[in-house]
Amino acid sequence: MDLPVDEWKSYVLQKWSLLPKSIQVTISTAETLSDIFLHSSSLLQPEDEMFLKRLSRGYLVGKDPNAPLFYREEGNKKFQKKDYMGATVLYSKGVSHSRPNSEDISLCYANRSAALFHLGQYETCLKDIVRAQTHGYPERLQPKLLLRKAECLVTLGRPHEASQTISDLESNFAAKPTLAASQFQVLQRTLCRLKVKVQEKENLTETSPAALTKALEDMDLREENEQISSTSSSVSLCTDPLKGRCLVATKDILPGELLVKEDAFVSVLNPGEMPPWHRGLESKWDTRATNGDLYCHRCLKHTLAPVPCDGCSYAKYCSQECLQQAWDLYHSIECSLGGLLLTLGVFCHIALRSTLLARFEEAGKVINKLCGEITNRDTCLPESKNLAQILSYDLGGESKNKGKTVETPIPGCDINGKYENNYNAVFSLLPHTGNHSPVHKFLCALSVSALCRQLEAASLQAFTTGLRSSKLKAAAAPVLYPELNIWGVAMLRHMLQLQCNAQAITTIQQTGSEKNLITNSRQVRLATGLFPVVSLLNHSCSPNTSVSFISTVATVRASQQIKKGQEILHCYGPHESRMGVAERRQKLRSQYFFDCNCPPCEREKQRPSQGPGREAFCCHRCRALLQGYDVLSCGSTSCTESVSRDHLVSQLQDLQQQVGMARKLLRNGELERAIQLLLGCRHAAESFLLAEHSVVGGIEDDLAQAYAASGDWEKSAAHLQKSLRVVEVRHGPTSVEMGHELFKLAQIFFNGGHRFEPWSGKIPHAAEQLSP
């Protein structure tokens, strides 16, 4: 997903292996990104481009004229089964394949409005009704569309607009009677019913989660930092000889304090499971819902009614405004490259989009650096007719600085020492060129080269238009090929930066049936983005902050008290509660190129080996930890019990199979059988697994769900509290996983009608917790 598809990676790997040793050495020892890019680009042959084009054609990103009817019919099947959410997704797919101002798109919009009406999304339903009419919805079908519009307006507490809609409908009937008298009478009765309904339900809003999200979006920093954009005044930017740039507390910080609220400089929606149609799918039209069907491709907001790009079927947006902004900023270039960008991966897509966004900033100094690398000069000469060189001179070269480069104390800061969320800060992020393997650099460089060739083959006028300033309108026409090399080097830099600096933008998705009183949730990766300020945070396996996302905005909060002068730290993934020190250090070394020496790692290195840890087996007699390899012996000096590892592994597999059967019963609503089977599994687990084992926690969580479904809130709470103990030990008291479990516990108490004390880290007995 991040890197190119496996077929292209294998192809490039084979190409690398067949290169003469001298060329491999030249690329491996190249000291600059421009050398790597130019050498690799010269090796890209027409047959390589043809192979990549064949892979790209496998993705259905254009508008297929036969797809709207297929998706509309499939959506109708879901609608008839009252699966309105499934129908909405399929109608949206039909919309994305339809041409503007066609009957196909108007019918898909109208059908989607019906599904949205049944989902209670009345405002969105109204928007789809307007879209259907705008695109030429057939006049013969207008009555039912107008009636739906009136019902939405009444339900939303807008009776005057509803009455006007009905009046328009009556006028149309009088002028062009198209319905039988009996059908017209139905409309009149419906109007009377709606007028009564509006008195019962005034000013109904759509959903409270939307209001909550808006409230969270409106939370701002108490006092914004004057030197670091999007950051609290409680932190400052410093440099460390070993760590490089870092954020440090300027005063004591309390848990929960908002430290950073930053919008991504660039983000790209992860496509999810979107294989080319020829890979194992029965039809070339995929009916599965992916991230691309449910989230805006620009702002990442969840949407049930996306608005598609007029030129492709892949890009979809939450509104016409987002669509237009995306088109103006980057999609006008990306639109025709959808299949290629999906083939080359998210990192390559971000690299392209970053350079496209740079066109709208005064990025002359950045271009100057790149131009200097290409031409092997310190600065770009003003007499050059190359557009990028002229811009370098005009925006950041000799004419403004009298030939002198203004040194900034910290990379990424402007001449005034301010670090902002802009392209200059993005460019300053380290690519770690020397740490990447030669094959990886060749893969990235060849992929970027292929993308540049595709851009060159198409019209590059739009690509370079944003680079022009008003002062350069009279300049000579730019030489495109050298300019493309400059931006190719920039894209290669960004692609290499992303391994260490990309942020996985996550969201919480609800799982399970909508009918369940207790909602399960999981954290999923929605998109990948670059956040210049968040990238300043260094890693700790036990961080003092937590990072969350709303759409494209990252928020960083203190998860514990942070003393003045203490560094603000973030976890890059390997957390002390999730994996051992050796595994953490290996993962950080392979992806981020450093050996972690944070306090948890130093403590664990000094301890003797802890063995298998929480996923270990215990003695069935005394519950002590079993130790050993093929034959495990009890760790207690007073116990002589021993057992073979193979026997315990087989026992664990049998237990997991039983748990799987119980979960299936639970999904099918066979609660009593599921509970009895889970209780048996729980008893079996106690005989050989530690209390903190993940399987034990999972069984307790399943029992909590089963009892909640049967309405026994007290037993549900008791089992969920046991699951909470396992989650807290494994993931930490301030982890996202702990937050999910506590939210479930709150739902149980709420549904049980009981009050409870705030979480204190120690869970009292369920009877105490549930006291009336």
Side-chain angles (χ1 to χ4, degrees):
M1 189 185 336
D2 289 334
L3 295 175
V5 296
D6 290 340
E7 292 91 338
W8 178 242
K9 285 192 288 188
S10 299
Y11 182 91
V12 174
L13 179 61
Q14 183 180 24
K15 184 179 180 70
W16 172 263
S17 66
L18 296 175
L19 290 177
K21 191 68 176 178
S22 59
I23 295 179
Q24 289 185 359
V25 170
T26 299
I27 295 175
S28 301
T29 57
E31 295 183 357
T32 66
L33 286 171
S34 60
D35 288 339
I36 296 170
F37 176 76
L38 293 174
H39 283 304
S40 301
S41 182
S42 67
L43 297 171
L44 184 67
Q45 301 299 316
E47 57 267 26
D48 304 331
E49 295 180 72
M50 289 303 299
F51 180 79
L52 191 55
K53 284 181 180 178
R54 285 198 298 272
L55 293 177
S56 303
R57 291 192 195 106
Y59 290 95
L60 189 60
V61 293
K63 292 188 181 292
D64 189 328
N66 298 315
L69 177 61
F70 168 80
Y71 282 122
R72 199 165 68 247
E73 290 177 344
E74 292 298 310
N76 291 343
K77 293 175 186 176
K78 295 278 188 182
F79 190 94
Q80 290 165 5
K81 295 177 182 178
K82 298 186 177 180
D83 180 4
Y84 302 119
M85 188 67 74
T88 299
V89 171
L90 291 168
Y91 292 142
S92 294
K93 288 178 179 286
V95 168
S96 68
H97 278 278
S98 302
R99 291 291 176 186
N101 303 314
S102 64
E103 185 170 299
D104 277 334
I105 198 169
S106 68
L107 291 173
C108 287
Y109 273 134
N111 286 14
R112 191 172 74 181
S113 75
L116 291 167
F117 178 84
H118 284 281
L119 289 171
Q121 302 294 316
Y122 304 113
E123 289 284 7
T124 312
C125 174
L126 287 173
K127 291 177 182 178
D128 263 5
I129 289 171
V130 172
R131 289 167 183 148
Q133 293 173 322
T134 302
H135 287 279
Y137 190 66
E139 190 171 345
R140 69 184 187 279
L141 302 175
Q142 287 281 348
K144 63 179 181 181
L145 197 65
L146 291 173
L147 183 58
R148 187 178 304 136
K149 179 180 179 180
E151 290 198 68
C152 285
L153 291 168
V154 171
T155 308
L156 290 168
R158 293 151 63 181
H160 298 298
E161 294 175 70
S163 298
Q164 183 60 52
T165 301
I166 295 297
S167 298
D168 293 342
L169 186 55
E170 290 173 337
S171 299
N172 288 341
F173 285 145
K176 298 178 182 179
T178 56
L179 293 182
S182 60
Q183 292 175 306
F184 184 74
Q185 290 172 2
V186 170
L187 289 175
Q188 294 286 9
R189 289 197 300 269
T190 301
L191 177 59
C192 294
R193 174 177 58 81
L194 293 176
K195 287 179 178 178
V196 173
K197 185 177 178 182
V198 75
Q199 296 173 357
E200 299 172 349
K201 220 171 190 180
E202 290 285 341
N203 300 323
L204 180 69
T205 55
E206 273 192 56
T207 53
S208 56
L212 176 61
T213 299
K214 184 68 169 63
L216 290 172
E217 287 174 346
D218 290 341
M219 287 184 180
D220 289 322
L221 299 161
R222 289 183 182 178
E223 187 179 345
E224 191 158 353
N225 198 307
E226 294 182 359
Q227 291 301 110
I228 317 169
S229 68
S230 312
T231 306
S232 163
S233 60
S234 301
V235 302
S236 64
L237 176 58
C238 304
T239 56
D240 181 273
L242 295 178
K243 293 183 176 182
R245 296 174 298 181
C246 57
L247 295 180
V248 175
T250 58
K251 62 180 182 179
D252 290 348
I253 296 171
L254 296 175
E257 184 175 336
L258 182 60
L259 304 178
V260 178
K261 183 180 179 183
E262 182 184 25
D263 200 353
F265 173 79
V266 62
S267 64
V268 169
L269 186 73
N270 286 349
E273 295 182 13
M274 191 182 175
W277 65 265
H278 55 73
R279 295 186 198 170
L281 293 178
E282 295 179 2
S283 167
K284 66 177 179 178
W285 298 311
D286 192 2
T287 57
R288 297 170 300 174
T290 66
N291 286 344
D293 300 310
L294 301 173
Y295 294 90
C296 177
H297 285 228
R298 193 197 74 81
C299 71
L300 304 182
K301 288 182 179 177
H302 184 269
T303 176
L304 293 177
V307 180
C309 168
D310 289 344
C312 67
S313 64
Y314 175 67
K316 308 177 186 76
Y317 305 93
C318 65
S319 64
Q320 189 66 34
E321 291 74 22
C322 262
L323 184 154
Q324 190 60 51
Q325 287 179 35
W327 182 264
D328 293 341
L329 291 172
Y330 48 77
H331 191 64
S332 57
I333 305 299
E334 296 177 357
C335 185
S336 62
L337 303 173
L340 179 62
L341 292 171
L342 286 169
T343 304
L344 294 179
V346 171
F347 281 4
C348 198
H349 195 164
I350 291 178
L352 170 63
R353 190 169 290 182
S354 296
T355 58
L356 291 173
L357 291 172
R359 300 175 301 162
F360 299 93
E361 296 187 14
E362 288 192 354
K365 290 183 180 179
V366 175
I367 301 172
N368 195 30
K369 293 178 184 177
L370 292 169
C371 186
E373 286 189 354
I374 294 287
T375 60
N376 291 319
R377 297 176 183 176
D378 293 331
T379 58
C380 295
L381 298 179
E383 58 267 26
S384 170
K385 297 300 181 182
N386 177 278
L387 177 61
Q389 293 177 327
I390 296 172
L391 275 172
S392 300
Y393 173 75
D394 184 66
L395 296 178
E398 295 177 306
S399 66
K400 288 191 176 182
N401 297 316
K402 298 180 180 180
K404 296 180 181 179
T405 303
V406 178
E407 295 293 335
T408 55
I410 299 178
C413 295
D414 62 18
I415 58 174
N416 298 314
K418 185 170 183 179
Y419 188 91
E420 297 188 87
N421 182 318
N422 57 19
Y423 187 72
N424 183 49
V426 169
F427 188 86
S428 74
L429 300 175
L430 294 177
H432 295 282
T433 309
N435 295 110
H436 293 284
S437 69
V439 175
H440 179 74
K441 288 184 281 192
F442 183 64
L443 170 66
C444 294
L446 208 66
S447 299
V448 169
S449 300
L451 180 56
C452 287
R453 295 275 181 92
Q454 188 66 30
L455 287 166
E456 187 183 22
S459 171
L460 281 180
Q461 190 62 33
F463 183 71
T464 55
T465 296
L467 286 171
R468 301 175 187 271
S469 69
S470 58
K471 298 179 183 179
L472 299 175
K473 287 183 179 178
V479 181
L480 297 180
Y481 182 71
E483 199 168 288
L484 199 58
N485 278 344
I486 293 172
W487 289 103
V489 175
M491 283 190 272
L492 176 58
R493 180 183 180 88
H494 298 320
M495 201 167 176
L496 295 178
Q497 284 174 335
L498 286 163
Q499 180 166 318
C500 296
N501 293 286
Q503 275 287 336
I505 300 174
T506 59
T507 188
I508 302 298
Q509 287 185 350
Q510 307 301 328
T511 59
S513 171
E514 295 179 3
K515 298 178 181 179
N516 289 344
L517 290 173
I518 305 303
T519 303
N520 261 328
S521 59
R522 59 173 182 164
Q523 188 177 36
V524 297
R525 182 177 177 182
L526 177 62
T528 303
L530 271 176
F531 297 82
V533 175
V534 175
S535 293
L536 296 172
L537 295 172
N538 285 319
H539 167 80
S540 172
C541 296
S542 180
N544 51 22
T545 62
S546 63
V547 180
S548 59
F549 301 89
I550 298 177
S551 300
T552 59
V553 177
T555 57
V556 180
R557 292 182 180 275
S559 59
Q560 57 187 257
Q561 187 173 8
I562 303 173
K563 295 290 187 182
K564 180 180 178 180
Q566 190 177 345
E567 186 178 358
I568 313 296
L569 297 166
H570 168 44
C571 180
Y572 290 179
H575 196 284
E576 66 167 337
S577 63
R578 295 182 178 89
M579 58 183 72
V581 60
E583 186 182 356
R584 295 200 309 268
R585 288 172 65 97
Q586 190 279 329
K587 185 174 178 65
L588 290 166
R589 190 182 300 114
S590 63
Q591 181 173 350
Y592 297 99
F593 311 121
F594 71 89
D595 289 316
C596 186
N597 295 309
C598 69
C601 285
E602 289 299 308
R603 286 196 303 268
E604 291 182 52
K605 281 193 298 182
Q606 294 170 9
R607 296 175 189 165
S609 175
Q610 298 294 308
R614 304 179 189 105
E615 295 295 276
F617 301 109
C618 69
C619 175
H620 73 97
R621 291 185 184 276
C622 66
R623 302 288 299 162
L625 182 69
L626 291 175
Q627 299 174 340
Y629 295 95
D630 295 335
V631 176
L632 303 180
S633 301
C634 182
S636 173
T637 55
S638 60
C639 182
T640 59
E641 193 69 21
S642 64
V643 63
S644 74
R645 180 180 294 277
D646 289 343
H647 174 74
L648 291 172
V649 170
S650 176
Q651 197 174 346
L652 178 59
Q653 290 172 345
D654 291 342
L655 176 63
Q656 290 171 323
Q657 187 175 10
Q658 292 292 308
V659 172
M661 292 171 59
R663 287 171 179 166
K664 186 175 181 180
L665 292 171
L666 190 56
R667 286 193 299 270
N668 294 335
E670 299 181 57
L671 301 179
E672 282 299 323
R673 290 182 62 194
I675 289 171
Q676 291 305 312
L677 186 52
L678 285 169
L679 289 172
C681 292
R682 180 173 176 247
H683 179 73
E686 288 174 347
S687 67
F688 73 105
L689 296 179
L690 289 176
E692 297 82 11
H693 199 286
S694 59
V695 172
V696 174
I699 292 171
E700 297 292 355
D701 190 76
D702 293 335
L703 279 167
Q705 290 188 53
Y707 281 118
S710 62
D712 193 334
W713 304 109
E714 186 169 345
K715 286 185 179 179
S716 177
H719 286 287
L720 188 59
Q721 289 173 78
K722 292 176 182 178
S723 172
L724 271 166
R725 291 191 184 98
V726 178
V727 172
E728 183 175 16
V729 169
R730 293 179 59 82
H731 299 291
T734 60
S735 63
V736 171
E737 292 83 359
M738 192 67 176
H740 294 171
E741 294 300 301
L742 286 170
F743 180 65
K744 285 196 289 186
L745 185 61
Q747 292 177 87
I748 289 172
F749 285 129
F750 179 83
N751 288 309
H754 298 282
R755 60 181 176 83
F756 60 97
E757 296 299 322
W759 174 255
S760 62
K762 181 180 179 182
I763 307 171
H765 190 270
E768 298 174 21
Q769 199 82 332
L770 290 166
S771 58

